[in-house]
């Protein structure tokens, strides 16, 4: 299959629609982003790379970082992590507080904000916040095999100044003992992980370990066991798009994680890792054109995990 031709056809089809959706304006620094942008990259497990549009432009990966932090936390505490966070789709918005009260401070899954904050709190154990941020950045550079990945401090600061809901979620969990560090420390790490700036190409490469049973086929770096890679993919499929996860599975059929910066990391197990970015978001906070692009890709390649 000519994957470059597939990407080119998707780009051509979506070009007239650039600008659709709404950028995430609740984080002031993200509100400034021009929504008329689109990039997409595919890194295959046999070592090829295909890209189209602004695939080389860095953007704020936001919640996609939750996949990497989850990987790091599982490496530290293993299955014990599931005492702190569940594994079920939430069916509520990414920053919902209601469900957290009903479920006594144990978030539904590691990909909604509350769950990700609890996971970050686990990684923070035994470290100063600055060390945990450094460890996280080194880990992402390692999985991406790219030392140029950076954190955008302006985005981190912007969110620190305005992330009142995240402070509410974290304080709530602290009251239940599910946040074990000062809230500002845990959120300091969380805001920095979300502010990671990566391009579609870097993201596609960073996701390769999930497409290739836990080991990056390009570098030979073993990141997680095959079983763990499979399980992270399962969580991404069920919970990676907040309360739009069912619709994404229905339309695309691939494990994926979105972020409010407009990026999505998707995984075609055994075949490829895909990074797509377009800043305009749909109603549930997932990239509008990024989702459509992945739907077109799945249809044209037959890569859905449920068959063509
Ligand atoms: N940093 C964002 C927040 O906490 C992440 C949300 C997202 O990307 O979905 O609100």
């Amino acid at each position: 299959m000519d994957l470059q031709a597939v990407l080119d056809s998707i780009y051509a089809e979506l070009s007239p629609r650039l600008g659709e959706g709404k950028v995430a304006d609740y984080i002031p620094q993200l509100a400034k982003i021009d929504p008329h942008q689109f990039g997409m990259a595919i890194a295959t497990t046999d070592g090829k790379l295909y890209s189209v549009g602004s695939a080389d432009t860095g953007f704020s990966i936001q919640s996609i970082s939750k996949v990497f932090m989850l990987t790091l936390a599982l490496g530290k505490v293993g299955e014990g992590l599931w005492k702190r966070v569940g594994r079920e789709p939430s069916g509520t918005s990414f920053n919902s507080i209601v469900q957290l009260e009903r479920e006594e401070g144990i978030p539904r899954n590691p990909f909604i904000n509350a769950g990700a904050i609890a996971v970050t709190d686990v990684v923070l154990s035994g470290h100063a916040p600055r060390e945990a941020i450094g460890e996280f950045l080194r880990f992402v550079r390692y999985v991406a095999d790219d030392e140029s990945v950076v954190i955008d401090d302006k985005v981190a600061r912007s969110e620190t100044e305005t992330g009142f809901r995240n402070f509410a979620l974290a304080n709530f969990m602290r009251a239940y003992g599910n946040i074990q560090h000062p809230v500002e420390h845990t959120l300091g790490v969380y805001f920095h992980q979300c502010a990671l700036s990566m391009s579609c190409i870097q993201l596609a490469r960073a996701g390769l370990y999930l497409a290739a049973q836990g080991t990056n086929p390009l570098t030979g770096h073993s990141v997680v066991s095959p079983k763990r890679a499979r399980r992270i993919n399962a969580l991404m499929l069920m919970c990676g798009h907040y309360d739009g996860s069912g619709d994404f599975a229905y339309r695309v059929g691939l494990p994926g994680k979105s972020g409010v910066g407009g990026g999505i990391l998707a995984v075609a197990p055994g075949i490829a890792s895909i990074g797509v970015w377009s800043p305009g978001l749909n109603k549930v906070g997932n990239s509008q054109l990024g989702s459509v692009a992945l739907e077109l890709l799945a249809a044209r390649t037959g890569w859905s995990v449920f068959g063509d």
Side-chain angles (χ1 to χ4, degrees):
M1 191 183 335
D2 184 348
L3 286 177
Q4 189 58 50
V6 172
L7 281 188
D8 291 342
S9 71
I10 293 171
Y11 190 42
E13 192 164 331
L14 294 185
S15 287
R17 297 176 60 180
L18 294 185
E20 273 186 24
K22 257 187 89 226
V23 295
D25 52 8
Y26 76 99
I27 301 174
Q29 202 61 25
L30 296 186
K32 298 181 186 164
I33 305 289
D34 174 9
H36 298 86
Q37 301 186 79
F38 179 89
M40 192 166 188
I42 301 175
T44 61
T45 52
D46 61 3
K48 303 208 177 60
L49 180 77
Y50 306 88
S51 66
V52 78
S54 306
D56 220 0
T57 304
F59 60 89
S60 193
I61 73 162
Q62 291 295 319
S63 282
I64 303 170
S65 67
K66 295 170 181 174
V67 174
F68 303 123
M69 198 56 109
L70 172 67
T71 305
L72 203 53
L74 284 168
K76 279 181 186 285
V77 299
E79 297 292 302
L81 182 70
W82 305 117
K83 290 199 215 82
R84 306 273 303 268
V85 62
R87 298 193 295 261
E88 296 295 341
S90 67
T92 55
S93 69
F94 69 98
N95 54 10
S96 170
I97 295 179
V98 175
Q99 194 169 58
L100 197 56
E101 171 154 35
R102 217 181 304 119
E103 298 179 0
E104 303 188 343
I106 305 293
R108 270 287 170 102
N109 68 64
F111 295 145
I112 51 173
N113 281 13
I117 293 166
V119 168
T120 298
D121 192 67
V122 167
V123 171
L124 181 55
S125 274
H127 294 290
R130 186 192 299 251
E131 292 163 359
I133 294 167
E135 183 183 9
F136 177 72
L137 183 58
R138 276 193 301 281
F139 178 70
V140 176
R141 287 176 172 171
Y142 171 74
V143 294
D145 192 33
D146 191 332
E147 289 297 309
S148 71
V149 174
V150 287
I151 290 171
D152 183 335
D153 286 319
K154 277 203 198 118
V155 174
R157 209 170 318 121
S158 181
E159 221 186 327
T160 309
E161 286 161 4
T162 56
F164 307 114
R165 274 191 90 101
N166 287 323
F167 277 99
L169 291 168
N171 275 304
F172 210 84
M173 288 189 285
R174 181 126 164 105
Y176 282 103
N178 199 19
I179 291 293
Q180 297 175 352
H181 300 90
V183 160
E184 25 333 326
H185 288 191
T186 306
L187 285 179
V189 181
Y190 173 77
F191 292 141
H192 281 82
Q193 82 186 53
C194 289
L196 207 66
S197 173
M198 290 175 83
S199 69
C200 293
I201 292 175
Q202 288 173 323
L203 204 53
R205 288 201 172 120
L208 268 175
Y209 72 98
L210 294 170
Q213 299 195 309
T215 298
N216 182 324
L218 305 185
T219 59
H221 292 160
S222 168
V223 182
V224 292
S225 67
K227 179 162 132 190
R228 185 157 290 163
R230 173 164 52 78
R231 289 176 158 178
I232 295 172
N233 283 330
L235 288 164
M236 288 170 72
L237 182 76
M238 299 305 293
C239 316
H241 283 74
Y242 311 118
D243 43 343
S245 298
D247 191 52
F248 186 82
Y250 180 81
R251 286 165 47 195
V252 179
L254 295 173
K257 181 73 206 86
S258 70
V260 292
I264 303 175
L265 169 65
V267 178
I271 307 170
S273 163
I274 305 121
V276 61
W277 170 60
S278 185
L281 307 179
N282 63 19
K283 283 196 298 295
V284 286
N286 300 314
S287 174
Q288 165 83 12
L289 293 186
S291 309
V292 177
L294 287 168
E295 186 175 1
L296 294 173
L297 180 75
R300 286 172 196 179
T301 56
W303 285 354
S304 161
V305 295
F306 304 108
D308 14 345

